[in-house]
């Protein structure tokens, strides 16, 4: 299943990705965060994330030393100011469209900014699916899905997936 989702996320692109299935979308997010961050690192994200993700960042990641920072990711000047002010930001994490507000951000511009300041860029692509949006085409490092949502379609199973280009 992870291979098929990776293939969907890269169809028509000149790159390959690998995937790892998890027990839920939230486990995909937490596994990604715990896999790429260490105590003292920061993650920059948006205030209008899925509530479970916000709670994970504030109540689980922060107490173990991985500080979340929030800004309006639609304001690229604010994003760059945060990246400049906090060189220990290791991951820029976004949802676009965000759940449930459907607010959208510029994936390519955010990825470029993250990479300019030596951070990874990760995106939750659960809502649009690879049918409508392929974040790897914009340079994103990691994609996660709560496959429970649109990829599953029936809502009769719970799973998540983490995808990476490298």
């Amino acid at each position: 299943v992870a291979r098929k989702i990776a293939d969907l996320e890269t169809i028509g692109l000149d790159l390959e990705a690998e995937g790892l299935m998890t027990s839920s979308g939230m486990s995909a997010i937490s596994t990604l965060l715990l896999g790429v961050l260490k105590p003292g690192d920061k993650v920059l994200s948006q205030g209008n994330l899925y509530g479970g993700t916000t709670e994970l960042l504030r109540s689980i990641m922060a107490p173990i030393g991985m500080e979340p920072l929030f800004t309006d990711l639609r304001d690229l000047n604010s994003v760059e100011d945060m990246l400049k002010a906090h060189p220990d930001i290791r991951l820029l994490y976004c949802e676009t469209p965000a759940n449930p507000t459907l607010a959208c951000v510029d994936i390519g511009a955010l990825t470029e900014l993250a990479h300019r300041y030596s951070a990874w860029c990760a995106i939750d692509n659960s809502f649009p699916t690879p049918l409508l949006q392929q974040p790897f085409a914009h340079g994103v490092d990691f994609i996660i899905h709560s496959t429970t949502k649109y990829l599953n379609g029936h809502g009769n199973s719970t799973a998540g997936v983490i995808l990476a280009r490298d």
Side-chain angles (χ1 to χ4, degrees):
V1 173
R3 171 81 265 142
K4 288 182 183 286
I5 297 170
D7 288 347
L8 288 169
E9 283 288 5
T10 59
I11 194 165
L13 304 177
D14 188 25
L15 58 93
E16 291 188 24
E18 295 296 325
L20 173 71
M21 294 300 298
T22 65
S23 61
S24 69
M26 287 307 300
S27 69
I29 297 167
S30 60
T31 299
L32 173 65
L33 294 173
L34 291 167
V36 301
L37 300 175
K38 63 185 184 317
D41 288 344
K42 294 179 181 171
V43 57
L44 178 59
S45 194
Q46 62 209 68
N48 59 348
L49 288 171
Y50 170 65
T53 305
T54 302
E55 186 67 16
L56 171 71
L57 289 168
R58 288 189 171 142
S59 299
I60 306 297
M61 303 308 290
I64 61 173
M66 299 166 205
E67 181 183 352
L69 302 172
F70 297 95
T71 193
D72 182 352
L73 296 183
R74 295 171 298 178
D75 181 347
L76 297 176
N77 291 323
S78 174
V79 172
E80 186 161 22
D81 289 345
M82 294 288 282
L83 288 162
K84 283 179 186 175
H86 302 276
D88 43 2
I89 293 173
R90 294 290 170 252
L91 181 69
L92 191 154
Y93 182 89
C94 63
E95 293 176 5
T96 191
N99 178 7
T101 65
L102 301 180
C104 294
V105 297
D106 185 332
I107 301 167
L110 290 174
T111 300
E112 190 277 322
L113 281 170
H115 291 168
R116 184 183 313 161
Y117 291 91
S118 301
W120 286 301
C121 188
I123 186 170
D124 181 332
N125 204 35
S126 296
F127 262 33
T129 77
L131 178 64
L132 300 176
Q133 175 172 278
Q134 289 181 297
F136 285 142
H138 303 283
V140 167
D141 300 292
F142 303 101
I143 299 172
I144 69 99
H145 284 275
S146 172
T147 63
T148 309
K149 294 183 176 78
Y150 299 108
L151 284 178
N152 177 21
H154 292 97
N156 58 358
S157 70
T158 302
V161 67
I162 306 165
L163 304 166
R165 295 180 328 155
D166 182 358

